[in-house]
Amino acid sequence: MKYIENIIKNLRKKIKLYEYFYNVLNVSLVSDYEYDILLKKLLKLEKKFSEYDSDISPTKQIGNNFSEEFKLRNHILPMLSLESVYKISNFYNFYNFIKKKINNDNLKFCCELKIDGVALNVLYKDKLLVHALTRGNGYSGENVTSNISVIKNLPKKLLGKNVPKVLEVRGEVFILKSDFLNLNKNLHNNFKKSFSNTRNIVSGILRRKKKSYIFNEKLFFIVYGVGFVHPNNYFKSHYFMLNKLRSFGFNISKYNNFCKKKCNVISFFKRSLLMKNKIDFDIDGIVIKLDSINLQKKIGYTNKFPKWAIAIKFNTKNILTKILNINFKVGRTGIITPVAKLFPINFSGVIVKNVSLYNKDNIKKLKINIGSYVLVKRSGNVIPKIVKVIYNKNCKNLKKIFFPKICPCCKSNLVLNKNKKLYVCMNGVFCNSQKKKLILHFFSKNGFNVIGIGPKTIEMLINKKMINTPLDMFKLSKKKLFSIKHFKKKTFVNIFNKLKKIKNIYFYNFLYALGIPEIGISVSKNISKKFNSIEEFLCCIRNNNFNKIVNIGIVISKNIYNFFIINNNVKYVLELSKTIKIIF
Ligand code: IVH
């Protein structure tokens, strides 16, 4: 029997050593799988030979009740949120509010990065982890204790002497940006749906019902505060509390900053903004906390957030990524636009894979190459754009971007436009790419407004040589359409019926639908007010009176003039006007 006792003792020793390295030193000596096998072996032996069972066995000490369900548990103290503002100047209001409240101008702050992850509340009693709860509704959260092994640096047992008897530790669980990109790349390569942001992955992994070895050890935990502490007056300063927590075995952010002056806070914000794209985890702002815990208690709380802390959020997002390739797109009006294919990046849930480089001068000005690392900016819902190329040691094998001399679609020679910034394909509707976009534009909402005529349908009809102009769409017969193999009959019947229903159209929608450069719907409306028939409109252009009658800019009137001096265009417009009545 001594033999069994020794096996059990050795197993415990081994497991404890692995745990120490894993939980405290962040080093995995064995894989999760091997660790689990050892633990199960120990459990089995302890069950079988209960005389050797012990309360200090690792099978008892780690929240080892791997429950399948994530039951709600109460936080001892509620997990509050933070008041968020978007301008650093708001810090002065916050400062003055505290100064007035405590009648003291000698305020010290602990400034931290606001990590964009999932909040976790971990309870320790007598140094041992009791449970780990998500924030939930602030008062109770999901008990995810059974899943904490996926977090690389969450101690299950605290280190050091004089550790508070009861301690609720709060922090953020997150995943590295580089891991996120790799995971999504793998999912994409295996034709699986990728995650839209790092937070989704984290909460997905934390709430995983089945044990899995995928994505394990990808989660990190950084501590930013405490909840309930017994004894109550254990900590005096927030900044020093974080350092103390580090000595207990937690990871704290190396960017935490003790600020004795207002100007230190401002420069921390500025530094963080610059740092944001260099560090390998997502941050969405900074958190400024009054340092003295005694004063924190004096200032107090609303029922939503502490009045002694504030989050200053970054309102623009710059994300670092890499240019994988360049495509040249032919626009509706023949302008060739270079579009960079990016390593996908995530702006608060919006995945950006492509970004326009506008023109050759922009590429030159920013010194963009294929393979360059670039900062992409997106403020609110504005279209993302490249703001800067970042040089780093990975910038090898850069490939220069060469603008094509011929149209990537119809292969006709490109010409530089007047201001020599843009390359243009002059092949008009004879270029399939322009044709496709013109037809799409024609049936778009402000034009003929036919829902259901999408790029794929148009491309197919063009490829089958069934249409060349939007007018041809009205001439399509059911018989012709149904002769196409592999088509969805219902889609075509729908489109066919919709086209048949169009009997008339307002002139401004008609003019817009023609797709003349710079003629948007409001310009179109302005022009349409001056005319009573299509003949009157054409006559005015022919007599070169357009500028006198319609008060619009030279560029726009020139574009109109250039369109209508082409005989084929006039013929096309007149034929259209016979097919569909234009209302003036
Ligand atoms: S302090 C009572 N500090 O931001 C104080 N929160 O919008 C509450 N967060 O739910 C939190 N980094 O999950 C604090 N350095 C930091 C933080 C941080 C990220 C998260 C936290 C909280 C949310 C509030």
Side-chain angles (χ1 to χ4, degrees), residues 78-84 112-120 135 170-172 223-225 238 256 284 286-287 289 301 305-306 308-309 311 313:
M79 278 184 95
L80 298 180
S81 188
L82 282 167
E83 185 178 7
S84 296
E112 298 160 26
L113 297 180
K114 189 170 182 305
I115 303 169
D116 202 3
V118 172
L120 196 71
R135 181 169 176 271
R170 276 135 194 212
E172 204 76 355
V223 165
Y224 56 67
H238 184 86
N256 293 345
D284 59 351
I286 64 160
V287 186
K289 298 170 181 171
Y301 300 81
F305 20 73
W308 45 263
K313 288 212 185 172

